Amino acid sequence: MEHADPFAGERLKLSPFHARQAPMNLRDAWSSWNSYKFADYYYDAQYEYFCIRNTCGTYDICPMQKYEIRGADALAMLNRMVTRDVAKLKVDRVTYCCWCTDEGRMIDDGTIFRLGDDHYMLTCGSPCLAWLRKSALGFHDLTVRDISEERAGLSLQGPTACAVLKAMGLADIEQLKPFGILRFDFRGDTLMVSRTGFTGDLGYELWIDHSLALDLWDALYSAGDHYGIHPYGEAATNMARLEAGFIMPAMEFNEALKTVNFQLDQTPFELNLGWLVDFRKPHFNGRSALLREREKGPKYTLVKLDVEGNKPANDAILYASRRCRQEIGYVTSAMWSPAAKANIALAMVRTRYLTGDIFAEIYYPKELRPYRKVARCTVRDKPFWAPARTRQTPAPDQ
């Protein structure tokens, strides 16, 4: 006699790729993302990181939220919601963007895919359907649809990524420019490939109907067998994105709609994303508040730091002198970078202190004993890791 599962509604959903991923997760290291069972790592985070940097790896982006926006009012609606000018986005191109409350506090960041004249796809890390529906008020020729469970997504990142896709039979994939889109016939359906990713390396994102997810996985891994293909999880992703200088929610910023304490969320200017705010276009959410902030200047500014020594500055407080008397900021993410061979960090620093000295107070363990050191920090303008292949077209075979 079968009994109903009393916890069925609480169990994590399985990705369309789960049947292939589960046997490869040798450590059974799972976490969750948007109610999906999601790999933290498969074998070893460091090993998976080096796959991204030296061969190629796959990262399951099925838990990412995906929304289809269609209709004659789609452009106007998106342009009112996000800070960037979507009118500049051409068909079969992708752009990075963010959207804010009326107070200019950042709700989330994500990507907009322009799939046709009146056809867009928005992807983001957290559920956003309620905000999209609010943003759609007043627009009549418009449909907003959550397609998160209809479209499977798989990110392929690393120097051999293009070679794998060529071996898979995707003609002229090497000619695809960064943030471009190409479509291919696949098992009687359409495989959409965008040259996008979250690692700062050569990479692509593959989008297919969820019913063909396993077919895509098998074809990709068959083609990548001689190119070092390997799945990687959240731990390796976090290492790669930090080297690229990319921000992560719940680390560099709090999503405004989830933040309880006043102004413990952030603005695009505080996150050094002022280049995403286009005041030349008409009204958009948060425009007045952001205009005032641009004139006044942000209280904090997110910066990239080179940290003296080799002890990662995780959760470090920043000071204006080695004596650690005047607190001026805090580290949001830190690591020893294998690619840059440097001790790196992202940090929020009070803007008025950016031109002076910056020191991090670092605590670290050694054989169960805590130690403390104070390390000088240097602000960097460029990403810690930015290989030429990321931008090259044709993309190289390596």
Side-chain angles (χ1 to χ4, degrees):
M1 181 178 179
E2 292 186 5
H3 295 278
D5 181 358
F7 305 108
E10 297 299 322
R11 297 193 187 280
L12 294 175
K13 295 183 288 188
L14 300 182
S15 161
F17 299 111
H18 185 76
R20 298 293 183 270
Q21 293 173 330
M24 302 182 77
N25 196 322
L26 302 182
R27 304 299 183 227
D28 207 24
W30 301 98
S31 56
S32 63
W33 177 17
N34 289 337
S35 299
Y36 277 87
K37 192 173 184 178
F38 187 72
D40 188 22
Y41 59 94
Y42 289 82
Y43 170 65
D44 177 82
Q46 290 278 344
Y47 177 83
E48 292 162 28
Y49 159 84
F50 282 108
C51 287
I52 297 171
R53 292 296 183 234
N54 297 316
T55 56
C56 67
T58 60
Y59 178 65
D60 187 357
I61 51 176
C62 290
M64 182 179 290
Q65 301 297 284
K66 301 170 280 289
Y67 302 101
E68 182 184 65
I69 300 102
R70 304 191 76 150
D73 289 335
L75 172 58
M77 172 265 180
L78 286 170
N79 237 1
R80 192 179 72 176
M81 185 179 107
V82 306
T83 62
R84 200 164 193 177
D85 190 355
V86 186
K88 296 178 180 178
L89 184 63
K90 297 180 180 179
V91 174
D92 288 338
R93 296 288 296 169
V94 187
T95 193
Y96 175 56
C97 63
C98 65
W99 47 101
C100 300
T101 64
D102 285 343
E103 293 75 30
R105 318 304 293 187
M106 201 160 102
I107 296 172
D108 207 349
D109 64 345
T111 50
I112 294 177
F113 294 64
R114 188 168 189 181
L115 307 178
D117 289 337
D118 299 322
H119 186 193
Y120 298 83
M121 181 174 74
L122 173 71
T123 69
C124 52
S126 295
C128 197
L129 185 59
W131 189 260
L132 281 165
R133 286 173 172 167
K134 287 182 179 181
S135 301
L137 290 174
F139 296 102
H140 304 292
D141 193 349
L142 179 72
T143 59
V144 177
R145 196 164 64 90
D146 186 346
I147 59 171
S148 301
E149 296 191 17
E150 298 175 18
R151 303 293 292 177
L154 193 64
S155 186
L156 176 67
Q157 304 287 309
T160 64
C162 183
V164 170
L165 295 180
K166 287 171 68 175
M168 188 176 151
L170 304 191
D172 297 323
I173 189 65
E174 70 276 9
Q175 300 300 330
L176 182 60
K177 296 179 180 179
F179 293 97
I181 297 170
L182 284 177
R183 295 173 180 82
F184 303 89
D185 292 331
F186 185 83
R187 306 290 195 272
D189 208 309
T190 300
L191 169 65
M192 185 174 78
V193 180
S194 57
R195 190 169 166 182
T196 48
F198 197 52
T199 64
D201 215 311
L202 175 64
Y204 304 84
E205 291 174 335
L206 285 64
W207 310 90
I208 194 74
D209 185 86
H210 70 101
S211 64
L212 292 171
L214 295 183
D215 289 330
L216 173 61
W217 181 283
D218 292 342
L220 190 65
Y221 271 73
S222 176
D225 187 48
H226 297 297
Y227 294 95
I229 193 169
H230 192 281
Y232 64 94
E234 185 67 10
T237 299
N238 195 40
M239 295 173 67
R241 70 89 194 171
L242 176 51
E243 289 180 335
F246 296 155
I247 63 173
M248 179 82 86
M251 299 190 77
E252 276 63 55
F253 73 98
N254 291 316
E255 298 170 39
L257 300 183
K258 300 178 182 178
T259 305
V260 176
N261 294 291
F262 180 64
Q263 290 192 348
L264 290 190
D265 48 15
Q266 287 74 34
T267 71
F269 288 111
E270 288 180 332
L271 293 168
N272 228 333
L273 296 177
W275 56 280
L276 290 182
V277 183
D278 193 338
F279 291 111
R280 293 169 295 182
K281 71 172 185 173
H283 174 74
F284 56 88
N285 290 355
R287 188 181 194 279
S288 297
L290 291 171
L291 191 58
R292 290 192 297 271
E293 186 181 21
R294 185 183 69 169
E295 295 169 353
K296 183 180 179 181
K299 182 178 179 180
Y300 282 91
T301 301
L302 183 72
V303 294
K304 305 175 189 69
L305 295 178
D306 265 328
V307 183
E308 180 183 58
N310 62 0
K311 303 300 181 187
N314 294 304
D315 302 317
I317 303 296
L318 302 178
Y319 295 90
S321 72
R322 195 176 289 276
R323 299 177 70 182
C324 298
R325 297 271 179 92
Q326 178 62 56
E327 186 177 321
I328 63 172
Y330 56 93
V331 169
T332 60
S333 301
M335 65 178 284
W336 172 263
S337 166
K341 300 295 187 291
N343 200 13
I344 67 174
L346 294 178
M348 295 293 288
V349 179
R350 290 182 181 270
T351 306
R352 62 193 179 101
Y353 289 99
L354 280 176
T355 56
D357 292 335
I358 301 175
F359 291 87
E361 185 180 31
I362 303 171
Y363 288 85
Y364 62 96
K366 185 189 294 183
E367 295 187 343
L368 303 181
R369 296 188 181 185
Y371 289 81
R372 172 186 177 272
K373 70 174 293 185
V374 177
R376 180 181 290 276
C377 304
T378 304
V379 176
R380 284 194 52 164
D381 294 328
K382 297 181 180 180
F384 304 108
W385 174 255
R389 60 178 175 255
T390 306
R391 303 171 300 279
Q392 286 177 348
T393 305
D397 283 346
Q398 292 183 333

